[in-house]
Amino acid sequence: MTAIPHLPIVALLLACVFAPLPAGAQAESRPVSLQSLLQEMVDLDAVARLPAPEFSLKQASSHDRRKNDPGNPETWHSNNDHDQFLHTEMNEGRREWVIMEANGPGAIVRFWTPLLATNDKQIIRFYFDGSPVPAITANFNDLLSGTAFVHPPLAFVAWNESDLNNQLKPEFKARRGVAGDMYLPIPFATACKITMDSVPFYYVINYRQYAPGTTVRTFTMKDFEAAKPGDLPVVEPSGTKLSKQVVLAPGEELALDLPAGSAAVRAVQVQVDPPALRSTILQASFDDAPTVWCPVGEFFGTGARLNPVRDWWRTVTADGMLTARWVMPYQRSARLSLKNAGGKPVSVKLAATTGKWDWDDRSMHFHANWRGQAEIKTRPVTDWNFIDVQGQGRYVGDTLTVFSPVAAWYGEGDERIYYDGATFPQHIGTGTEDYYGYAWGMAGFFSSPFLSMPQRDHSAQDDWRGYTTTSRLRLLDSIPFRTALKLDMEIWNWADTRVDYAVGTFWYARPGAIHNREPQAQEAAAPIRDNPGDFKIAGAIECEALAVVAKPADLPVEVQDKGLQDGQ
């Protein structure tokens, strides 16, 4: 595993040492617990195998309940995604609003909310296994922002800080008005109910539902205290490393044939001229099946422009080193390559490290696919397909890049996720920014193990011109599917305009899986757009540049950076 400077993911690892989970069926015999889930979260190999024990990933959210008929555009694209709940009940004389109920063995694995200041005193309660007494009672905003008993990186604020811990310093004033994300796994044996002490605002909860009969040890604060986070040294991947460096002419390809036999790619590194991040394509074939076709910008999470970013699986540095730590197993053979889909020569370097892998009936091939489409009309509102897969596997993340020519917010659209033949989505979200873990269209950049956003073109809160790239990496919240998976994202923009969307999707599957994403060399080769600049009037005096020569002592002076709104 490649070192990630200043990324506190190592704090996920427990201070005490636990034996690794078995790779085969023996894993099913071990009970699910907070301890086992924390270990699974940082096990690089875990997502490359079918889950054991089996589970389905469920979602509870505050989405508009009118979204019940895909054939009715008026309600299917409605946007009242707040103040929604299941029902109310009385507990010990308190009225409580129920936002999640699950029966059977399971585990909460992700929780998102916007940190609205007026909700700073709202209380959340977790009831397990039918008990009338809550096992967790906490201030909701504090719990999800990392200032209660759960600390970063398991709970954090998605905001403009390189080091997530800086967000929690007293002088950091922007917390109320951004988003809190909690990734602490919370297992339960037979049932879970979550309530709020007042009408809930926005929320999204992902939880695992295990097969009946799965043994799960219910979360307790005693278990949490016993599993105190602690640092563990991060080591470089061991194995065989191959690398090549050339200048690729248009249409040319640089290939690495990897060692034969059962093995796994443990790291991939690429260096490429920054203007060619979209037109340089990473390709891979495992066991003679092509599984990866993705521009390096989306593959490594930086998008159309080179900006530093890092998450659990990828690191992009300011000097242009792109590193990915996805584990990519194969049984017999593997080949990686870079292809220049652009019209100019490009200097590239490709390196791969391979290590041991014991291929078995739970092993899966890694897939990365890409879709790009320019000039998408934002009226009428539509659902835009990320990917449609047929086969057995698990979905582990995506990187979305959006280009907008206008300042208006583009991200009201919700995700709709279908799996295993469902005709109605099992997951309906509350907004694109909520799916990617931030809120209010405010963040300019952030990095975390689970979610990331490199610096966007315009950093003002209400100015979304140019390119924005966001990633969601699914560790415990990966989505297993037995026969099929489909993910759509609603394109819901406040402006009547045209936008460009490009998405890289990451998933694992057993051999034989198929999908609907053919290579799009022409779209990948399209020129990267210029950053839409601020509107200027010839000969006008820019007041922001003028020096203040006199003012009343009690008159505040500041530069307004929100720009002109559409139509003004």
Side-chain angles (χ1 to χ4, degrees), residues 196-462:
M196 308 295 294
D197 71 341
S198 57
V199 177
F201 194 36
Y202 289 84
Y203 61 88
V204 179
I205 307 168
N206 287 118
Y207 63 97
R208 291 180 170 190
Q209 186 175 71
Y210 291 103
T214 303
T215 302
V216 177
R217 179 183 173 95
T218 298
F219 176 94
T220 65
M221 288 304 300
K222 182 178 179 180
D223 284 351
F224 177 81
E225 292 297 330
K228 285 290 188 183
D231 290 339
L232 195 68
V234 183
V235 297
E236 294 286 343
S238 59
T240 303
K241 185 172 183 177
L242 300 174
S243 66
K244 292 182 179 180
Q245 184 170 3
V246 299
V247 174
L248 291 178
E252 285 189 339
E253 182 178 321
L254 168 66
L256 289 177
D257 289 310
L258 303 180
S262 183
V265 177
R266 297 285 175 177
V268 176
Q269 287 190 315
V270 168
Q271 286 182 297
V272 61
D273 297 333
L277 289 168
R278 177 63 59 78
S279 59
T280 303
I281 312 300
L282 181 68
Q283 302 174 121
S285 295
F286 298 108
D287 298 325
D288 300 321
T291 67
V292 173
W293 196 98
C294 189
V296 297
E298 272 72 45
F299 186 86
F300 291 95
T302 189
R305 308 200 197 283
L306 179 63
N307 286 303
V309 70
R310 62 203 180 283
D311 51 49
W312 180 237
W313 293 113
R314 293 93 50 92
T315 301
V316 175
T317 60
D319 62 0
M321 176 62 73
L322 315 177
T323 301
R325 294 168 293 277
W326 294 108
V327 176
M328 308 178 194
Y330 56 94
Q331 189 173 11
R332 299 178 304 277
S333 63
R335 189 173 193 261
L336 295 178
S337 67
L338 290 174
K339 185 171 184 178
N340 180 7
K344 298 179 180 179
V346 59
S347 175
V348 300
K349 181 178 180 180
L350 174 63
T353 300
T354 57
K356 183 180 177 182
W357 183 273
D358 295 322
W359 187 273
D360 58 21
D361 59 4
R362 289 177 50 224
S363 297
M364 295 185 288
H365 289 139
F366 175 79
H367 295 252
N369 304 103
W370 186 83
R371 182 189 182 189
Q373 184 176 351
E375 298 286 339
I376 304 171
K377 293 181 179 180
T378 60
R379 298 288 186 276
V381 180
T382 57
D383 289 346
W384 193 74
N385 178 244
F386 277 21
I387 196 164
D388 197 332
V389 177
Q390 305 295 316
Q392 184 181 20
R394 60 199 299 181
Y395 189 80
V396 295
D398 41 71
T399 293
L400 175 67
T401 299
V402 176
F403 177 87
S404 175
V406 298
W409 174 233
Y410 72 83
E412 289 295 322
D414 308 334
E415 79 273 14
R416 289 79 143 80
I417 302 177
Y418 313 71
Y419 54 83
D420 297 338
T423 57
F424 191 84
Q426 286 101 326
H427 296 196
I428 301 179
T430 61
T432 307
E433 85 276 34
D434 312 343
Y435 177 85
Y436 288 107
Y438 61 112
W440 308 110
M442 291 182 73
F445 68 93
F446 60 90
S447 287
S448 81
F450 317 97
L451 309 157
S452 64
M453 176 194 291
Q455 179 66 60
R456 54 189 176 91
D457 281 356
H458 285 265
S459 58
Q461 175 182 336
D462 294 330

